[in-house]
Amino acid sequence: MTDGPAPHGTDGTGAAPARTSTPPPVPGSRPVRRAGPAARTADDRAPLRAAPARVPLPDAPGPCDATTRLTAHGCWYPSADPSGARVAFICDRGGVPQLWAGPVDGDEVRLLDSAPDPVREVSWSPDGRWIAYTTAPGGGEHQRVLCVRPDGTGRHLLAGSEPGTSAYLGCWALDGSAVAVTVAVPAGRTVAHDATDFPAGADGHSGRLSTRGRPGGDGRAVLLGGTAVTGEEQGPLSPPGAAGITASDDPQYGRAHPAGGFEDGLSAYLIDPDGPAAPVLLATETDGATLRVCDLSADGRLALLRRGPRGRREAVVVRTTDLATTCVVPVADGDPWIGRFSPQADTVWLRSDAQREFAALVAVGLDSDGRPGSRSVVAERQGSDLELLQFTHDVRAAALAWNIRGASELEVVETFPPGSAGAVTGPPRPVPLPHEVVTRIAATGRGGLVLALSGSQRRPGVWWLAGGASPLRTPWSSRDGDAVRAGRPPVRPVPLSLTARDGLPLSGWYHRARGRGTARPAPCVIHLHGGPEEQERPVFNPLYHEILGRGIDIFAPDVRGSSGHGRSFLDADLGTGRFAALDDIADCAAHAVLAGLADPARLAVMGRSYGGYLTLASLVRHPDLFRTGVAVCGMSDFATFFEGTEPWIAQSAMHKYGHPERDRELLRSLSPMSRIDALRVPLLAVHGEHDTNVPPGESEQFVRAAREHGHTAELLTLRDEGHEFLRADNRRLFRRSAADWLQRHLCG
C-alpha cells in the first residue's frame, strides 16, 4: 500500500533512541526574498503574504564514533555533494533510520540529525550548502521536510509542521536557491487565497483557484500547509485538453483517472532554504493522488512534475511563467524520479511505458514554449523494465538500471554523443555489480555515480563509481560478514516458475532452510509482498533469515498485479481479476508441494500491507490449505479501509481495488471480513500504532471477529511505528514474534 519503493533492509538489533522535544516555532528575522528559478522580479509574482515562519531545531551532537548498538547496519538513499567527495545517506546504525554524512573513501561519518523520527529521503543541494531530507514523526505516515547544513548546524523545518499536513521532497533548483516541496492538506481546511485567474494556458483555460477566507490575496500562492483548493474549480494542472499526450483524450492508454470524492489539496512550491522567503507556487491538484516536482530546467522556464494514481502515473511539463500545462506523457510506476530536462530544455528524458509493456528511456522534443514535438524510444530491453534512471549533473550521460527477473543490470550511456543529431544515446557501457539489486542511483560532480546496492548475502550499502570499471564500497557500509552472526550464513534463494490455473505464467524465489536434504519436504511459508505493484527481489531479508533459522522454508512469489513482469501482468488483478490473484496463491502453494519442496500438511501464509490483505483473504478463501497465517498491516474490509486511510491514498487505491461507491458489491465480496465464517486456523496480526495508510482498525476488527468465532487470534501492536516498521527494537520484536508463531503452529 505504500506509494513508492520502501528501503531495503532497514533493520537492526539495537534499542531506539529516546524521544527528544522540539522547540516551538519562532518568527524569522531575515528579509523576505524570492525563491527559485521562477523568481524574476518583485512584481511578476507577488510574494506569499502568510509564509510559514522558519522553525529552527537543535543541532545534532556532532561527529559520532562507530556505535556498538548494532553489530551490523544498513546504509541507503545516498545523495552526493557537488564535488562527489562526500555523501549524505540514511543509516540505522543507531537503531532507527537517521541522517548521516561521510566521505566516499573514508570512515569518519557524522550524524546530522539525532532525533528519533525515521528519515525517508535525502537530497544534497547543487551548491553544497544544504541537505534537505524528510522525516516521519512518531514513525507514522505523515512526513516533514527539513534542511541542515553539512556540518550539522542550521537544522530547521521547511514544511509539514502544521497539524494534519504532510510534506514531500522534490528536486532542487540547479543553483541551490530553492528546493521543491509538495504539501498535502486534508479536506476541510480553510482556503486562504482569493479567486484570481492565472494567465490563459496552452488550452485557453485559466486554471483559476477558488479562494475564500483571506482578503487581499493575490491568487498566485497559497498558505503553505494551511489551505486546500476546493472541488468547484480546478488548479493549473487540471484543465482538459492540454497540449501533449493525455490519459483522458487518448483511449489507447486506458488511463482515465477515477472519479474522486477524497478532496485533499496537493500543492507544490519552491522554498528558499535560507530563511522566511516567500514560497513560489508551481502547481496544485484537488483530489490528487500524488504530485512531485522532479526537475527544473536550467533557465527556470519549465518544471517537470509527476502526478496521478498508482498504475496511471503521468509526467507533466509546466511553464513557470504562467503555470500552464504544456505536455503530458504517461510514465511508469516505481521510482518517483521519472526524468530530466536537457541543458537547453529542448528535450525531456523520461522513464515511460506509454504504449509499451515494459518501461524504456523515451525522449520527447520540446519547443520554446514547452510544447511537445517528436517522441522516440532511445533505450529499451526486450522483456525488461527500465527501473531506475539517473543523469550526470550536465545531463550528458545517463545511468540505466534494468530489472531482469528481479535482479538489476546497470549500464551507462551518453546522451547526444558527439556527431549525433537529435535525441539519441551512445553505446551502453555495462557496470559490473557486486550484489544483485540497485535501489538508488545518485550523480556526483565528478561525472561519477553513487549506488545503493542490496543483495541476498548482505545488508544494503553504498558504493561509488568514479570513472573506474567497477564500483567501490564505501568504508562505512557494512560488509557481507556483518549481515548475520557467524555460523549461519544467509540463504541464497533460487527462482521458481509455474503456470497459474488460467495459463498465466507466474514466478517467485524459493528460500530453503539449511540442514535439510532435498528429498525431504519442509514446513513452508508462502510470503506475499506488498504493493500490489511491488516485486519480490533476491535481497537479504532479516525476517526471512529468522524464519529459515527455525527450519521453515519460504516461497515468495509474484502473483498477478506485481511489477517487473510487464503492464499486462501489472493490470491483471484489476476489478474481478483480484479473485484470480487469490487463486494464484493457492497455485503457488500447490506448485511448491508438487515439486517436493513443501509439506502439504505444514503450509502457512504471510504478508505485509497488500500482502497482509492477501493473507487474510487466502485464509478465508482457501480455509483448508494453510495451517496458520501472519497478516501484517493488511486490509480486512475495503469499506472501512477507504473510510480510514489517508485521502490521497484512497484516491490512488481506487484504480487498483475499485470505487468505494460504484464498486461496493465487488469490494464487499473481496473483503476478508465478508467471509469470516470460513476461517479455520489460528492467526497472528501485526500492526503499527500510527499507521494511517492501512489503519490499525483493519487488524483489530478481524482479530475480534476471529475470536468471536472461537478461533485463536492475536494482535501485536508496535509502538511508534507506522505502515513501515523502522525502529530496530520493534523490527526485532516483530520478526521473532512471527517466527515463534510459525514455528509453534508448523513445527509443533
Side-chain angles (χ1 to χ4, degrees):
M1 289 304 304
T2 55
D3 180 39
H8 288 289
T10 53
D11 179 83
T13 56
R19 187 176 299 278
T20 58
S21 60
T22 300
V26 298
S29 58
R30 293 171 55 87
V32 173
R33 65 186 188 85
R34 305 196 54 75
R40 289 165 295 282
T41 65
D43 52 4
D44 67 351
R45 178 164 300 178
L48 188 65
R49 299 179 183 177
R54 181 186 180 95
V55 183
L57 300 170
D59 293 337
C64 290
D65 296 331
T67 178
T68 58
R69 277 187 180 170
L70 302 179
T71 57
H73 61 269
C75 301
W76 63 95
Y77 216 101
S79 182
D81 73 352
S83 71
R86 295 180 61 80
V87 174
F89 58 96
I90 302 173
C91 183
D92 64 353
R93 65 170 61 203
V96 65
Q98 293 174 303
L99 177 65
W100 294 74
V104 295
D105 54 359
D107 56 6
E108 296 180 357
V109 294
R110 181 188 185 98
L111 178 65
L112 299 182
D113 188 339
S114 59
D117 295 333
V119 176
R120 296 282 180 85
E121 292 184 288
V122 180
S123 182
W124 207 313
S125 67
D127 60 5
R129 297 185 306 114
W130 291 102
I131 299 171
Y133 60 107
T134 61
T135 65
E141 298 311 301
H142 287 239
Q143 296 186 160
R144 305 186 301 178
V145 175
L146 300 89
C147 268
V148 67
R149 295 192 184 278
D151 63 359
T153 63
R155 191 168 65 98
H156 62 281
L157 277 169
L158 286 183
S161 60
E162 296 86 354
T165 65
S166 192
Y168 304 90
L169 188 61
C171 68
W172 282 92
L174 296 186
D175 61 359
S177 64
V179 63
V181 172
T182 298
V183 179
V185 183
R189 298 293 297 271
T190 303
V191 179
H193 47 280
D194 291 344
T196 304
D197 284 351
F198 292 106
D203 55 355
H205 289 72
S206 65
R208 192 174 72 176
L209 294 177
S210 174
T211 62
R212 297 173 181 168
R214 184 168 69 86
D218 58 74
R220 296 183 186 268
V222 296
L223 174 62
L224 180 65
T227 65
V229 182
T230 68
E232 308 146 19
E233 300 157 6
Q234 299 297 315
L237 291 185
S238 301
I245 306 164
T246 67
S248 58
D249 59 16
D250 193 339
Q252 65 180 314
Y253 297 123
R255 294 194 175 193
H257 290 184
F262 302 93
E263 297 182 355
D264 271 37
L266 293 176
S267 299
Y269 301 89
L270 290 175
I271 301 181
D272 177 4
D274 287 310
V280 175
L281 180 67
L282 282 179
T284 62
E285 282 219 318
T286 305
D287 249 3
T290 55
L291 183 63
R292 186 188 290 251
V293 183
C294 295
D295 195 26
L296 297 163
S297 62
D299 57 10
R301 292 183 301 108
L302 302 175
L304 175 65
L305 297 91
R306 187 199 72 159
R307 72 173 182 192
R310 299 183 331 224
R312 297 296 180 265
R313 306 292 195 199
E314 294 174 334
V316 181
V317 176
V318 173
R319 283 200 305 261
T320 59
T321 53
D322 57 5
L323 304 188
T325 298
T326 62
C327 177
V328 181
V329 179
V331 292
D333 276 350
D335 188 70
W337 304 104
I338 55 173
R340 288 283 303 275
F341 290 111
S342 64
Q344 293 77 33
D346 55 0
T347 301
V348 59
W349 303 87
L350 297 171
R351 185 176 58 84
S352 174
D353 60 356
Q355 305 179 56
R356 301 179 55 82
E357 270 292 304
F358 293 91
L361 178 59
V362 174
V364 180
L366 302 174
D367 66 14
S368 58
D369 288 326
R371 298 173 185 270
S374 62
R375 184 182 61 167
S376 58
V377 176
V378 295
E380 61 183 325
R381 290 273 193 103
Q382 185 68 32
S384 300
D385 271 317
L386 176 58
E387 185 172 38
L388 298 175
L389 170 64
Q390 182 58 266
F391 290 85
T392 56
H393 289 311
D394 60 6
V395 201
R396 294 300 180 183
L400 313 177
W402 301 94
N403 185 327
I404 312 296
R405 296 178 295 278
S408 299
E409 290 187 6
L410 182 66
E411 62 188 21
V412 176
V413 297
E414 286 185 89
T415 57
F416 303 113
S420 64
V424 296
T425 59
R429 176 172 65 86
V431 177
L433 296 175
H435 297 286
E436 290 98 324
V437 177
V438 182
T439 60
R440 180 168 167 79
I441 310 171
T444 71
R446 307 171 183 173
L449 301 168
V450 288
L451 312 171
L453 301 179
S454 192
S456 61
Q457 304 299 296
R458 65 167 293 110
R459 293 180 185 269
V462 175
W463 298 65
W464 60 291
L465 184 70
S470 300
L472 302 174
R473 189 185 64 84
T474 54
W476 28 267
S477 291
S478 63
R479 295 170 171 80
D480 290 0
D482 296 332
V484 295
R485 62 180 179 269
R488 186 158 59 91
V491 170
R492 190 181 298 275
V494 296
L496 283 188
S497 298
L498 64 142
T499 302
R501 63 189 66 183
D502 63 357
L504 185 69
L506 302 175
S507 61
W509 295 89
Y510 198 90
H511 306 247
R512 189 167 183 85
R514 295 183 182 277
R516 181 181 292 105
T518 56
R520 182 182 174 190
C524 180
V525 178
I526 307 298
H527 191 278
L528 305 164
H529 63 68
E533 307 90 344
E534 294 178 18
Q535 181 185 12
E536 189 66 28
R537 313 298 293 269
V539 298
F540 175 72
N541 187 328
L543 171 65
Y544 289 7
H545 186 73
E546 185 81 31
I547 295 172
L548 291 165
R550 311 296 181 92
I552 301 171
D553 287 3
I554 299 170
F555 182 27
D558 287 333
V559 300
R560 67 191 70 201
S562 304
S563 63
H565 304 276
R567 169 59 59 180
S568 298
F569 192 89
L570 188 73
D571 288 344
D573 66 341
L574 299 183
T576 57
R578 201 156 312 279
F579 293 111
L582 294 173
D583 288 338
D584 289 347
I585 299 167
D587 293 342
C588 289
H591 180 79
V593 169
L594 293 175
L597 299 169
D599 183 345
R602 294 187 291 171
L603 292 174
V605 62
M606 179 179 180
R608 193 195 69 82
S609 190
Y610 177 69
Y613 157 75
L614 291 178
T615 296
L616 297 176
S618 296
L619 292 177
V620 297
R621 289 197 168 271
H622 309 294
D624 299 321
L625 182 59
F626 300 107
R627 181 179 286 190
T628 188
V630 180
V632 185
C633 299
M635 304 92 74
S636 62
D637 189 313
F638 280 111
T640 55
F641 162 71
F642 275 112
E643 290 172 359
T645 189
E646 300 286 359
W648 57 88
I649 294 175
Q651 175 69 21
S652 190
M654 282 190 294
H655 162 71
K656 295 301 296 184
Y657 306 126
H659 193 282
E661 296 299 331
R662 294 194 299 270
D663 301 314
R664 180 187 298 269
E665 286 305 310
L666 172 64
L667 293 177
R668 188 195 64 79
S669 62
L670 286 167
S671 296
M673 283 294 294
S674 68
R675 299 174 61 95
I676 190 68
D677 291 345
L679 184 67
R680 299 284 186 272
V681 298
L683 168 74
L684 173 65
V686 186
H687 227 110
E689 67 167 338
H690 299 314
D691 189 351
T692 57
N693 186 327
V694 178
E698 293 298 303
S699 289
E700 293 167 2
Q701 64 190 6
F702 196 90
V703 167
R704 186 182 305 113
R707 289 176 173 175
E708 290 173 354
H709 283 75
H711 301 297
T712 300
E714 296 183 11
L715 173 61
L716 172 63
T717 298
L718 298 179
R719 304 302 181 190
D720 292 324
E721 298 287 5
H723 197 60
E724 302 281 347
F725 304 154
L726 299 175
R727 303 181 189 280
D729 53 345
N730 282 333
R731 292 177 68 87
R732 179 176 57 184
L733 173 62
F734 158 60
R735 63 176 185 263
R736 287 185 177 177
S737 298
D740 286 346
W741 181 274
L742 293 169
Q743 185 176 20
R744 182 184 319 137
H745 292 283
L746 293 184
C747 304

